[in-house]
Each structure stands twice: as C-alpha cells, then as structure tokens.
C-alpha cells in the first residue's frame, strides 16, 4: 500500500506547473484549454488539460499564467545568426549586389570572437522572442573551431537545433577539404546532440552537382540533416536551366536528394512539377517572409506547397536586413504576404501561420516538440495577453499570431529549463552580451570600410 501511495504521489508531482492560462496545444485539432494547465517533469511535458481536471497535480514551482497564452515555442527554420553583427546594413540594396559585394566579404573577414559575439546576441534576442530552436546556416569562418564556437554560443543561451556548416564555391578551401572539415564538425556534435552540426552547401543554384551530392551523402552517412538555399531569386531557375539543362528541384529529385532530411530555404520560384515533387517527398522548406519582403524577392507558393505535403517552418534568415529577430513579425507577415499575392483574405490565416512557427518548425527540424502534449519535449513559451493592444482581447490564436509581439513573451522554456523570464535570459548576462556584440560589430564595420551604398543613412 505504502509503495502504491508513493508511486501515486510520484506521478502527481512535477517540476513545473503552468496554470490558469489559455493553453494553445497546436495539435491537429487545434485544441485549446482555457483556463488550462501544463505539467513538466525533467525535459518533458507530463500532462496538459483543463485546470479543473489537473488540480491534483503538485509541483516544485507553480507559475500563474492567467491572462497569458501558453504555446509550443517557436522554431527558426533558417538563419544566419552571425549576420547579427551587421544589423541594418545594406538596407534597400538589391540582393544580387548585397550578397556578393557586402555579405560575402563581411562573412569572410569576421574573426571567431566577432562571430561568437554576434551569434550569442542573436540567440538572446530569439530566446526573448519565444524561440527554442534554430537551424543556422553558418558560412562566416568554416574552420572546425569557429563552427563549434557557433554551436556553443547557441547552446550557451539555452537554445537547441543545428548549425549548418557552410560549404561551396565561396569557401576558401578545395571541395575535398571542405568535405573533410564538415565531417569533423559533424563528429564534434553528432546526431542526438542538443545542437547538432549539419553539412550546408550554400545554394543549389551556384554549386557543382557532384559536390552537393557528396555533402548529402556525408549527412546521410552521419544520420543528420542537411541545409541549403534554392530558388530564392527570380532568375535562379533560369540560371540553373541554362547551365544544367534542368530546373533545380527536378534535378534534386532525379539525384535522390529530396526528402525530410533536406532542409531548403526559400523555394520561391518553383513550377507546378517542382511543387508536387517537393511535397511528395515531404521536403523541408523554410519560409522567410520578412527576408522575402525586405529584399523584394517574391512570394513562396505556401498554400500549394502545404497542400502538396511539404514540411514547412518559418525562418528569420538573419537579422541583418530584417532588423530584428521577432517571430511574431514573421508569423503575421507570413499571412499578409500570401494575401497580397492572392488578393484573397481567406488565403492562409493566423492558425496556419502559428502552426508553421511551432508544430511545422518542429516537424521540419525533426524535434519531438511543437505541440503541447504529454511525452513531448517541454519547449514552451508563455505570452502575455494583457495590455492596450490586447484590449478587448481577441480569441487566443489570433491574439498570439496577429496582436502579440516579442515584448509580450514572458517566459521561454527549452526542455523544461527556463531560459528567459522576468525580462532576462537566465543563462547569460545580457548586458555583457550586448556590450561585446556592439563593441565587436563596431570594430568589424570600421575595419571593413564599407562602400557608401551599404550605409543605411543613405537608404531611401
Ligand atoms: Zn539564407
């Protein structure tokens, strides 16, 4: 009997209880418990339901979440965290100038300390925006130590995810050596690490086909994903067609590279056949609405790709041109951009966009998260539903997707660990992160002596 009582008591006790809030589960039925409770033990969710049904639970810590939404935390499906060092520079510059004449030289000249400072700063901002996981495409210093420093920086703030180890024609090493370096980097943070390292050929359009195949074979041999860009710019598919006699996504299919292990940013300019193939293979696609809008790139065929079956998440794509890491801005723009393109307010909506940022992103990254459900990782964000912009308060999902902003995030939890609360990240000293990020970015920009058209003061 005593043993039974003990085991019952054990099952009723947990580490953290979030009670009284609007619990938006983001499960396929879009279930909301209000007022609801989420129970956490170790790194997992142990119970989710109406507060009245879970009164028997006790915890070491109980957080009153009334007037708040409790949601699965966000996943950034595509990023360049190092670009935080140049926030705002190059605003209004054409992407085909911005990338080769500004971003590539900047990336090539960054020191490891500058990269680490910028990445840590970006990770802090993302934690404050309710983000728990990130897929970063890192190409500013692709030596082993710098790639590991990026993974360390992300983890130091408490985020999980993967660092794409940048590879391709722009890297200052022969392709064979790049593959060896990538293999070493992956081994340093193998499959199953909180922050893994993946091979990341820069762009399908501008890389040799054999090199891309070798990078994917490396990923598959190490049981990790791979990350790249494709069909981001309006001429990309034509450039590829002229050089290779095939559209890029058709080639990816023929080469056997499409699938859930492929994590491809943008995929804006796809024809019907490419949309169907990407969907059929459950290919991972990162939709980056702020970046697409800021650079005037184009509108991804979101509805078509979702209907075809692709696995889609939302990405920040670096804060350099988008100015800030704010997932709420991505969520709202994800919908607005689609509606502007279709001239149809029924196209996309707050629930779909919030799904992309949470469950969609977790599926994209292969995480056991993205839904508030027992057994899944406790990657959870608490969002205030209080304040003038929430009064009168909209329904919970549109409130979070359309009315809320980053500053409404009150708590970010990753694997049961609170990494942001009461206005501060818990694992790093934000003030010193900011001071170092500012100091190192100032040194970097001064050293680079950037052309005047990159100066944001000259922007329209
Ligand atoms: Zn990118």
């Amino acid at each position: 009997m005593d043993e039974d009582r003990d085991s019952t008591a054990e099952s009723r006790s947990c580490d953290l209880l979030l009670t009284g809030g609007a619990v938006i589960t983001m499960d396929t039925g879009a279930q909301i418990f209000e007022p609801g409770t989420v129970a956490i033990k170790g790194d997992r969710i142990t119970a989710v339901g109406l507060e009245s049904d879970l009164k028997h639970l006790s915890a070491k810590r109980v957080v009153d979440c009334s007037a708040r939404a409790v949601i699965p935390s966000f996943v950034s499906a595509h990023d360049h965290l190092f670009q935080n060092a140049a926030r705002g520079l190059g605003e209004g510059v054409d992407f085909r100038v911005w990338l080769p004449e500004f971003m590539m030289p900047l990336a090539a000249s960054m020191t490891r300390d500058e990269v680490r400072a910028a990445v840590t700063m970006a990770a802090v901002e993302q934690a404050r925006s309710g983000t728990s996981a990130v897929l970063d495409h890192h190409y500013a210093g692709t030596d082993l130590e710098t790639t590991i420093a990026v993974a360390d920086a992300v983890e130091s703030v408490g985020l999980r995810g993967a660092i794409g180890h940048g590879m391709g024609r722009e890297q200052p090493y022969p392709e064979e050596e790049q593959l060896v370096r990538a293999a070493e980097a992956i081994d340093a943070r193998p499959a199953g690490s909180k922050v893994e390292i993946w091979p990341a050929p820069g762009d399908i359009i501008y890389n040799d086909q054999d090199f891309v195949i070798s990078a994917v074979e490396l990923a598959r041999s190490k049981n990790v994903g791979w990350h790249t860009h494709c069909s981001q710019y309006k001429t990309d598919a034509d450039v590829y067609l002229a050089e290779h006699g095939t559209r890029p996504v058709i080639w990816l299919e023929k080469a056997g590279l499409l699938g859930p292990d492929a994590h491809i940013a943008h995929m804006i300019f796809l024809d019907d056949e490419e949309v169907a193939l990407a969907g059929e293979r459950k290919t991972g696609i990162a939709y980056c609405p702020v970046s697409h809008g800021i650079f005037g790139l184009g509108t991804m065929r979101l509805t078509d790709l979702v209907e075809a079956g692709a696995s889609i998440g939302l990405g920040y794509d670096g804060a350099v041109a988008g100015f800030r890491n704010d997932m709420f801005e991505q969520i709202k723009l994800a919908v607005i951009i689609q509606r502007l393109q279709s001239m149809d307010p029924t196209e996309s909506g707050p629930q779909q966009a919030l799904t992309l940022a949470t469950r969609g992103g977790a599926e994209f990254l292969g995480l056991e998260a993205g839904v508030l459900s027992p057994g899944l990782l406790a990657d959870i964000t608490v969002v205030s539903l209080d304040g003038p912009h929430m009064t009168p308060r909209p329904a919970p999902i549109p409130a979070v997707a359309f009315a809320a902003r980053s500053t409404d995030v009150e708590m970010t939890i990753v694997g049961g660990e609170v990494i942001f609360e009461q206005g501060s990240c818990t694992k790093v000293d934000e003030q010193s992160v900011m001071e170092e990020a500012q100091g190192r970015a100032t040194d970097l920009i001064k050293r680079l002596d950037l052309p005047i058209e990159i100066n944001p003061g000259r922007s329209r």
Side-chain angles (χ1 to χ4, degrees), residues 258-337:
L258 290 182
D261 63 333
H263 299 76
I264 310 180
H266 311 309
M267 298 277 263
I268 299 173
F269 298 97
L270 307 192
D271 70 9
D272 290 347
E273 189 184 357
E274 291 180 305
V275 167
L277 288 171
E280 228 169 82
R281 299 290 176 212
K282 310 278 177 223
T283 304
I285 298 175
Y287 175 30
C288 308
V290 171
S291 152
H292 294 178
I294 284 278
F295 283 113
L297 295 174
T299 307
M300 199 186 87
R301 296 174 61 179
L302 177 65
T303 303
D304 294 340
L305 284 163
V306 168
E307 282 173 4
S311 169
I312 305 174
L314 291 183
Y316 294 108
D317 198 15
V320 59
F323 282 75
R324 65 177 198 254
N325 289 293
D326 182 342
M327 190 54 88
F328 297 89
E329 184 176 57
Q330 303 286 349
I331 290 167
K332 195 168 180 177
L333 267 176
V335 174
I336 289 173
I337 283 176

Side-chain angles (χ1 to χ4, degrees), residues 14 33 38 67 89 105 126 133 139 185 202 231 265 288 298 301 348 398 407 416 419 440-441 453:
C14 45
F33 299 105
V38 179
L89 295 181
Q126 295 198 1
Y139 58 85
S231 295
C288 308
R301 296 174 61 179
S348 189
T407 44
I419 67 162
R440 294 204 184 274
E453 63 264 29

Side-chain angles (χ1 to χ4, degrees), residues 39 98 128 164 228 239 247 254 285 294 300 305 336 429:
W98 182 90
R128 299 178 67 95
T228 191
V239 166
R247 290 181 66 88
K254 281 188 186 140
I285 298 175
I294 284 278
M300 199 186 87
L305 284 163
I336 289 173
D429 175 2

Side-chain angles (χ1 to χ4, degrees), residues 78-80 137 229 232 265-266 317:
H78 175 61
D79 237 306
H80 305 283
H137 193 295
H229 299 74
Q232 172 176 15
H266 311 309
D317 198 15

